Amino acid sequence: MTISTRKDKGWIGVTPLSAQPEPLHLARLKGVLGERWPTTSLLDMLKEAALRTRCTDCFTSLTVRENLSPAVLQHRLLLCLLGLGTNTGLRRVSAGNPEVG
């Protein structure tokens, strides 16, 4: 991380992390999920898990006023999980979802 005295490219710069190695049993898990639900996407599975566990309700704003509806916030959080969890990246996930803007 670097802290700059010039604001032209931002005050703080963060060095990108290298991709982590794939977990040991991930290929096997993907195979089992693909056999059981061949046409279900990872985002659909994340969304279903979030709806059942209500885990996205734990995310609240630090400000007094909420700017996003709970549905929009949940949608964006799930897209963030997808982008980070699959090493797709937030920029690519948001590019494929114009409503996120």
Side-chain angles (χ1 to χ4, degrees), residues 38-92:
T39 59
T40 305
S41 71
L42 178 60
L43 185 57
D44 288 334
M45 290 182 191
L46 283 170
K47 181 178 179 184
E48 187 62 32
L51 291 173
R52 290 179 185 217
T53 62
R54 300 177 55 104
C55 64
T56 54
D57 293 348
C58 296
F59 292 90
T60 58
S61 175
L62 297 175
T63 63
V64 177
R65 188 171 58 116
E66 294 281 340
N67 290 329
L68 297 174
S69 70
V72 171
L73 179 61
Q74 182 183 47
H75 184 228
R76 290 184 181 187
L77 287 170
L78 291 172
L79 288 173
C80 287
L81 284 172
L82 178 71
L84 295 173
T86 59
N87 276 338
T88 302
L90 299 178
R91 184 172 290 157
R92 286 186 182 163

